[in-house]
């Protein structure tokens, strides 16, 4: 990379495999080096593209016309491409590569985090990965059927009824608080409107008194 590429802070990067990134900041050395971040780990073999633009000066050209004041006045300027196509009845050619297309972004599948065995030995027990192997047979605890006794059934039914009653009571309290809040806000709006009207009247009286004083002084 050249020294120009290191100046594009915040520019978007993209690899051939589709991993996107961003230029963070330029490094002082070597020339053209910069720090960037990517949404996934990239390989050493990945080619990273930085789309950037540089101002290019276009050479100016002009041809002065010195026969505009000729007596025959038969001079006419060069016809544009549109005029030529209109005379010949040709349509504008359409480049299929220039048409807008729907972007189909493939879902990225990130690799799972793999902790090496040498690193797992140095980790404390609470941070070590704990992955249980899938069992071929179900345990007795998972496949056993729980049969409740008549007393337990009555207790379960009673607890469900209490929970339902509590939920209904909470819903009623919430609705009541909501109505009280709406009523309070409506009252505050009325008070604010009355205060505004009184302030308007006071300003009106004040300006009338000042106008009378000015007239008396004149």
């Amino acid at each position: 990379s050249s020294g120009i590429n290191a100046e594009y802070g915040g520019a978007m990067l993209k690899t051939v495999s589709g991993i996107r990134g961003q230029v963070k900041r330029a490094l002082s050395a070597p020339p053209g080096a910069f720090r960037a971040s990517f949404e996934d780990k990239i390989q050493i073999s990945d080619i990273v593209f930085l789309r950037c633009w540089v101002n290019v000066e276009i050479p100016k050209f002009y041809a002065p016309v010195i026969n505009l004041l000729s007596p025959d006045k038969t001079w006419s300027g060069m016809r544009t491409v549109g005029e030529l196509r209109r005379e010949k009845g040709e349509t504008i050619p359409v480049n299929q590569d220039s048409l807008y297309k729907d972007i189909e972004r493939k879902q990225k599948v990130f690799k799972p985090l793999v902790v090496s065995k040498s690193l797992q030995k140095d980790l404390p027990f609470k941070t070590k990965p704990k992955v249980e192997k899938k069992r071929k047979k179900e345990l007795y605890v998972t496949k056993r059927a729980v049969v409740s006794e008549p007393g337990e059934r009555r207790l379960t039914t009673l607890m469900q009824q209490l929970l339902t009653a509590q939920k209904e009571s909470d819903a009623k309290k919430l609705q009541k608080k909501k109505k009280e809040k709406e009523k309070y806000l409506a009252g505050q709006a009325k008070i604010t409107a009355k205060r505004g009207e009184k302030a308007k009247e006071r300003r009106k009286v004040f300006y009338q008194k000042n106008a009378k004083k000015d007239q008396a002084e004149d």
Side-chain angles (χ1 to χ4, degrees):
S1 60
S2 63
I4 299 175
N5 293 343
E7 298 177 0
Y8 287 88
M12 300 303 296
L13 301 172
K14 191 174 183 180
T15 63
V16 178
S17 58
I19 300 174
R20 296 170 296 180
Q22 187 180 22
V23 177
K24 291 300 181 182
R25 62 183 181 86
L27 301 179
S28 57
F34 60 91
R35 190 179 300 278
S37 62
F38 293 87
E39 61 183 0
D40 193 10
K41 185 178 180 181
I42 62 174
Q43 304 295 331
I44 300 177
S45 59
D46 285 340
I47 300 174
V48 182
F49 288 97
L50 168 63
R51 296 182 181 180
C52 55
W53 291 265
V54 179
N55 293 329
V56 178
E57 294 184 1
I58 301 174
K60 298 179 180 180
F61 172 78
Y62 70 96
V65 180
I66 58 176
N67 58 350
L68 285 176
L69 300 177
S70 58
D72 53 359
K73 295 183 179 181
T74 57
W75 181 89
S76 61
M78 182 183 293
R79 289 174 294 177
T80 61
V81 178
E83 292 174 351
L84 292 173
R85 286 176 179 162
R86 196 181 303 108
E87 291 177 1
K88 295 181 180 180
E90 297 179 355
T91 57
I92 300 174
V94 179
N95 187 4
Q96 296 296 329
D97 293 338
S98 300
L99 299 176
Y100 289 100
K101 300 177 182 178
D102 296 334
I103 299 175
E104 297 180 1
R105 192 181 299 278
K106 296 182 180 179
Q107 187 69 22
K108 290 291 296 181
V109 180
F110 297 99
K111 296 181 180 179
L113 179 63
V114 179
V115 183
S116 61
K117 293 183 178 179
S118 59
L119 182 59
Q120 290 183 19
K121 293 179 181 178
D122 300 333
L123 292 174
F125 179 77
K126 64 179 181 179
T127 56
K128 287 184 179 181
K130 304 172 184 63
V131 181
E132 295 183 358
K133 295 182 179 180
K134 294 183 178 180
R135 300 178 182 273
K136 296 181 180 179
K137 296 182 180 180
E138 294 183 358
L139 295 176
Y140 170 74
V141 178
T142 58
K143 66 180 181 180
R144 67 180 179 180
V146 180
V147 180
S148 301
E149 295 182 358
E152 293 179 350
R153 292 177 190 172
R154 287 195 297 272
L155 289 174
T156 304
T157 305
L158 180 61
M159 290 299 298
Q160 290 178 353
Q161 292 175 354
L162 291 174
L163 289 174
T164 304
Q166 183 65 30
K167 287 181 180 179
E168 290 181 359
S169 177
D170 294 341
K172 289 180 180 178
K173 289 180 181 179
L174 185 63
Q175 190 70 18
K176 185 179 179 180
K177 287 183 179 180
K178 187 176 179 181
K179 290 182 179 179
E180 290 177 354
K181 185 177 180 180
E182 291 177 355
K183 185 178 179 181
Y184 173 76
L185 293 175
Q188 291 295 321
K190 289 181 180 179
I191 294 171
T192 305
K194 289 181 180 179
R195 287 177 180 175
E197 291 177 359
K198 290 181 180 180
K200 187 176 179 181
E201 290 293 333
R202 286 196 296 268
R203 287 195 299 268
K204 186 177 179 180
V205 172
F206 175 76
Y207 290 133
Q208 287 177 355
K209 288 181 179 180
N210 288 342
K212 290 179 179 179
K213 288 181 181 179
D214 294 340
Q215 290 177 1
E217 291 177 357
D218 294 340

